[in-house]
Amino acid sequence: IPMLLEQGYTVVAPSLPGHGFTDAPSVPGVSPCVVACAYHKLMTKLGYDKYIIHGGDWGAIIGAVMTHVYADHVMGLHNTLNHIHFGWRQISQTVVGLFAPQLVYTTPQEEAFINPISGLEQRMYKKFAFFHTQTVIPDTLGYGIVDSPLGLISWIGSPLVLNSAPNNDPEQWRQGLLNFGLDNVCATLLIYWTTRSAQASMRLHYEFYWNDREYLENFTIPNVPVAISNFPNEIIHLTKFTSWRTFNNIKQFTYHDHGGRYAHLDNTEGVVGDLTSFIQEIQ
C-alpha cells in the first residue's frame, strides 16, 4: 500500500468480515459472493462509481465476483491467483500437458511453471490440508486456536511457510517464513490474537464451499480487462489458455521467479510493478 500511495494512487483496503478488526457476521451465509456485494456498496458510498480491483487469495475470488456482477463499474481486475475454481477442465489440462505439452503450453516458461503433474499432487497434499479442514470443521479447529497462542502460531504459520517456500524443500521453509518479514508475521499473529478473530475468519472457507462453489465453476468475465501475476510457489497454476475460459479479456499475464500465495508480502515489488503497469495500460 505505501508503494502505491507514493505513486499518487488512492487505495481502499477493506478487511474481510470476521478478520482482524472487522466484526464477525452475526448470521450464517456470509460467503465471498456476499462480501463482494458489500465491497461494491462500500465503494459507491465512498464516492467511487468506477474503480480498479487488485486481489490475492480471498481477494482474488471476491474481486472476480465483483467484476462479474458489477462489470459496468470495474475498470480492470488484477489478480495474483489465476484460478477461481479448479475442476475437471483444469485437471484435464494438466494431464494432457504431461503427455502432449505442445497441445497445452504456448511457451517453455509456461510448461516449466506448471509441469510435472507430480508437483501439483504434492502441492495439493501439503498445502491444501488447511483449506479442507477449515471447510469441513472450522469451529472445531477454531475453539482450540482462540484459546492457545501456540495453536494460533502453528496454524497461521503453517500456510505462510508452505505457500512461500520452494516445493518439497523443508530446509527452505524457515527462509520462506523470513521472506515475509518477522514484523509482518508478528503483527498478523497479534491482530488475530487480540481480536480473537481466528475462529470467525475460518468460516469464510465453509461458506465458500457450501454456498459459492457451484456458481464460481461456471461464470465468466467477458469484457473487463484482466491482468494475472503468476508466482512459482502458488498451489495451483493454469495456462493462459485455460484462464481465458474465466477471464475472456486478459491484457497481461506475467511470470515471476519467486513468491507464492501471499506474494504481496514476499514479492511486493513484483506485485506492485505488475499492478501499476496494468493500470497505465488500461487508463
Side-chain angles (χ1 to χ4, degrees):
I1 293 177
M3 295 176 67
L4 292 171
L5 295 177
E6 289 173 358
Q7 298 182 52
Y9 295 107
T10 299
V11 179
V12 178
S15 61
L16 294 168
H19 291 64
F21 298 107
T22 304
D23 291 340
S26 58
V27 295
V30 181
S31 67
C33 286
V34 175
V35 176
C37 296
Y39 280 3
H40 174 69
K41 291 180 180 179
L42 171 65
M43 295 301 293
T44 56
K45 286 184 177 180
L46 291 174
Y48 300 107
D49 184 63
K50 299 279 189 178
Y51 50 86
I52 295 171
I53 299 174
H54 160 75
D57 200 35
W58 281 124
I61 295 175
I62 293 169
V65 174
M66 293 176 68
T67 306
H68 178 242
V69 178
Y70 305 106
D72 291 339
H73 299 270
V74 179
M75 298 169 60
L77 170 68
H78 173 246
N79 272 359
T80 60
L81 190 70
N82 71 0
H83 62 281
I84 304 304
H85 52 80
F86 190 73
W88 288 110
R89 184 179 294 168
Q90 290 74 26
I91 294 174
S92 64
Q93 164 222 281
T94 307
V95 174
V96 171
L98 180 65
F99 298 101
Q102 69 278 7
L103 299 179
V104 174
Y105 306 114
T106 57
T107 66
Q109 183 185 33
E110 188 174 63
E111 180 179 357
F113 224 78
I114 298 174
N115 260 344
I117 193 172
S118 59
L120 171 64
E121 180 184 16
Q122 291 167 2
R123 289 195 299 270
M124 293 288 283
Y125 274 122
K126 289 187 176 183
K127 300 182 180 183
F128 229 16
F130 73 96
F131 179 86
H132 178 75
T133 303
Q134 293 177 169
T135 297
V136 178
I137 51 172
D139 289 337
T140 302
L141 177 66
Y143 283 120
I145 289 179
V146 298
D147 194 48
S148 168
L150 183 59
L152 179 69
I153 293 172
S154 299
W155 189 252
I156 292 182
S158 175
L160 286 178
V161 171
L162 293 177
N163 288 305
S164 65
N167 296 317
N168 313 317
D169 191 352
E171 294 182 0
Q172 293 294 324
W173 290 349
R174 177 177 176 274
Q175 183 59 46
L177 187 60
L178 293 176
N179 288 342
F180 290 114
L182 292 180
D183 287 345
N184 288 327
V185 174
C186 290
T188 299
L189 293 170
L190 186 61
I191 290 173
Y192 274 107
W193 180 253
T194 55
T195 60
R196 300 184 67 81
S197 58
Q199 182 177 8
S201 70
M202 294 179 186
R203 292 202 60 84
L204 197 61
H205 292 78
Y206 179 90
E207 302 292 358
F208 164 77
Y209 187 83
W210 299 108
N211 292 302
D212 293 355
R213 183 171 51 89
E214 292 186 4
Y215 160 71
L216 293 173
E217 285 178 354
N218 298 302
F219 90 139
T220 59
I221 298 173
N223 299 316
V224 178
V226 173
I228 298 175
S229 301
N230 298 273
F231 298 89
N233 296 315
E234 176 55 71
I235 300 175
I236 298 171
H237 301 295
L238 299 180
T239 65
K240 183 177 181 180
F241 174 77
T242 305
S243 297
W244 267 94
R245 292 181 176 273
T246 301
F247 308 107
N248 298 161
N249 188 16
I250 297 177
K251 297 293 187 181
Q252 182 176 295
F253 200 84
T254 57
Y255 294 96
H256 294 269
D257 59 5
H258 70 282
R261 171 59 58 94
Y262 311 109
H264 58 287
L265 287 176
D266 60 352
N267 192 347
T268 309
E269 292 79 7
V271 173
V272 173
D274 285 354
L275 175 57
T276 53
S277 65
F278 174 59
I279 293 174
Q280 293 167 5
E281 179 180 354
I282 63 177
Q283 282 185 329

